[in-house]
Amino acid sequence: MSKKRLLSIAATLGVAVVGAAAALLPMTASNAAEACVGAYNNSAVYTGGMRASYNSHNWTAKWWTQGETPSTGGSGVWADNGSCGGGTTPPPTGGNCNYPNWVAGQYYAAGAIVRYTNGQYYQASHENPGYDPVISTWYWSPYTCTGGGTTPPPGGGGSGGFPVSEAQFNQMFPSRIGFYSYAGLIDAIKKYPAFTTTGSDTVKKQEAAAFLANVNHESGGLVYVEEINQANWPLYCDRSQPYGCPAGQSAYHGRGPIQLSWNFNYKAAGDALGIDLLNNPDRVKNESSVAYQTAVWYWMTQRGPGTMTPHDAMVNGRGFGETIRSINGSLECNGGNPAQVQSRVDAYNRFAGILGVSPGGNLYC
């Protein structure tokens, strides 16, 4: 049973951030002379091939991204096209008020625009680690925009019926990497409309907190995307399957917020989601929405070593402990690893507190 579950044992030991720093492209005369394209907007969504200027360089997005400032590091989503003329175009003023809520302690690049708790908007004059816009006026300037934004005030619900706002999400994951964006999660949950929308408001929030608490444990706080121990990578190819391992012996190691592993799991998840993950498993580490989709797929459809899906455990009152059993079974439950269980429970209690809901009973397995 443990072989066929989604999570690899090695995933509990550590995973690695996807993507080493991308190689800096050589700057040519034509690159240096190129005009700067539109300025990077921290709240905008960029898909593969879209361009933006930042710090007097033009950049091209390799895949879907939001909230990850152009650089040659991070998840590697940005390709540096070289210097551009005319400097970086500042973000436009007077646009629609559709900017994320300010989160204390979250890094902001120069030019980032946020909605403060007083309902007003501010633009970062200088990069800062989440200083208060009203107090730290050297780092922030008032920003004028028109029209109503779609971002809910802090403490409210989130997008698409998801009971976690972006501000609450950022509070839960203060160290998350840009790859694991809130927008990527919101896009992913469209695949399963019953996810966090079943039952009372209390149950909906409890399910959201339970899902995110398990994700927090498996990904180190939405920091890690790939299994770190590469020596284990060749171990997840089951050649007895009729479709084999077309992407290679080592292609089916753990990826994503609930470490998808084994060729048969990539096949099953891909078939359910309408994505060819058997032949293209790297989509889980390269596309934020796809990574989240695999986690929601498991949560909604797979029992793993347990007796029910994690979704059913929460909406049917079996409690958070039963979600742990469905994810990692005897490896953690029934005294298998009480420290790991406690780590998950601690995160669940903290997230339930952020959402203002009781965690309920049956927290342990």
Side-chain angles (χ1 to χ4, degrees):
M1 177 68 74
S2 61
K3 177 182 178 185
K4 300 236 178 217
R5 63 185 177 84
L6 178 64
L7 299 172
S8 63
I9 297 174
T12 65
L13 301 179
V15 282
V17 180
V18 59
L24 186 65
L25 298 180
M27 186 175 70
T28 65
S30 60
N31 285 340
E34 183 181 17
C36 290
V37 299
Y40 169 74
N41 185 331
N42 190 57
S43 64
V45 171
Y46 295 88
T47 56
M50 293 181 67
R51 305 183 73 202
S53 61
Y54 184 77
N55 280 347
S56 299
H57 278 236
N58 281 332
W59 305 80
T60 299
K62 301 176 186 176
W63 53 81
W64 190 103
T65 184
Q66 183 184 36
E68 184 170 1
T69 304
S71 73
T72 55
S75 69
V77 65
W78 290 102
D80 187 356
N81 303 149
S83 298
C84 60
T88 302
T89 305
T93 59
N96 289 331
C97 296
N98 186 22
Y99 299 102
N101 295 313
W102 169 78
V103 178
Q106 175 178 313
Y107 169 81
Y108 290 101
I113 301 169
V114 297
R115 182 182 188 272
Y116 189 58
T117 55
N118 61 7
Q120 302 300 310
Y121 292 83
Y122 295 84
Q123 183 174 22
S125 306
H126 303 85
E127 64 177 328
N128 67 86
Y131 294 140
D132 189 301
V134 174
I135 298 173
S136 302
T137 55
W138 188 80
Y139 290 95
W140 294 95
S141 301
Y143 180 81
T144 302
C145 54
T146 59
T150 58
T151 304
S159 301
F162 188 54
V164 181
S165 71
E166 185 170 8
Q168 290 168 331
F169 178 77
N170 288 330
Q171 186 180 353
M172 293 173 177
F173 301 101
S175 300
R176 70 171 177 84
I177 62 172
F179 175 80
Y180 284 126
S181 66
Y182 179 79
L185 174 58
I186 296 303
D187 184 67
I189 64 178
K190 297 174 185 176
K191 293 280 188 177
Y192 292 94
F195 175 70
T196 69
T197 63
T198 305
S200 66
D201 288 344
T202 294
V203 171
K204 294 172 185 176
K205 290 180 179 180
Q206 287 175 340
E207 183 181 9
F211 172 79
L212 293 173
N214 281 299
V215 161
N216 174 79
H217 182 82
E218 297 299 327
S219 65
L222 290 182
V223 170
Y224 304 115
V225 182
E226 233 177 348
E227 185 177 342
I228 193 171
N229 188 353
Q230 296 190 21
N232 288 334
W233 287 13
L235 304 180
Y236 307 116
C237 171
D238 181 358
R239 292 288 181 183
S240 69
Q241 301 297 330
Y243 40 78
C245 300
Q249 177 73 29
S250 300
Y252 304 100
H253 55 276
R255 297 180 182 85
I258 298 186
Q259 295 285 285
L260 185 71
S261 55
W262 290 97
N263 54 329
F264 45 79
N265 280 316
Y266 278 89
K267 176 71 163 58
D271 288 349
L273 298 169
I275 306 169
D276 184 7
L277 297 181
L278 182 66
N279 288 288
N280 302 287
D282 273 348
R283 290 191 65 178
V284 180
K285 76 168 186 177
N286 289 337
E287 299 176 47
S288 178
S289 177
V290 172
Y292 280 126
Q293 285 178 48
T294 63
V296 177
W297 164 80
Y298 185 83
W299 185 267
M300 297 297 293
T301 69
Q302 302 299 298
R303 295 183 298 179
T307 60
M308 64 186 69
T309 69
H311 169 74
D312 286 341
M314 294 307 297
V315 302
N316 293 329
R318 294 294 295 272
F320 180 70
E322 198 66 28
T323 71
I324 303 174
R325 189 179 303 280
S326 298
I327 289 173
N328 236 16
S330 61
L331 291 174
E332 294 185 15
C333 297
N334 302 324
N337 195 327
Q340 297 291 321
V341 172
Q342 189 63 54
S343 172
R344 294 180 194 266
V345 172
D346 288 346
Y348 175 61
N349 284 329
R350 181 165 62 87
F351 291 175
I354 290 173
L355 296 181
V357 66
S358 166
N362 301 322
L363 301 184
Y364 296 86
C365 61

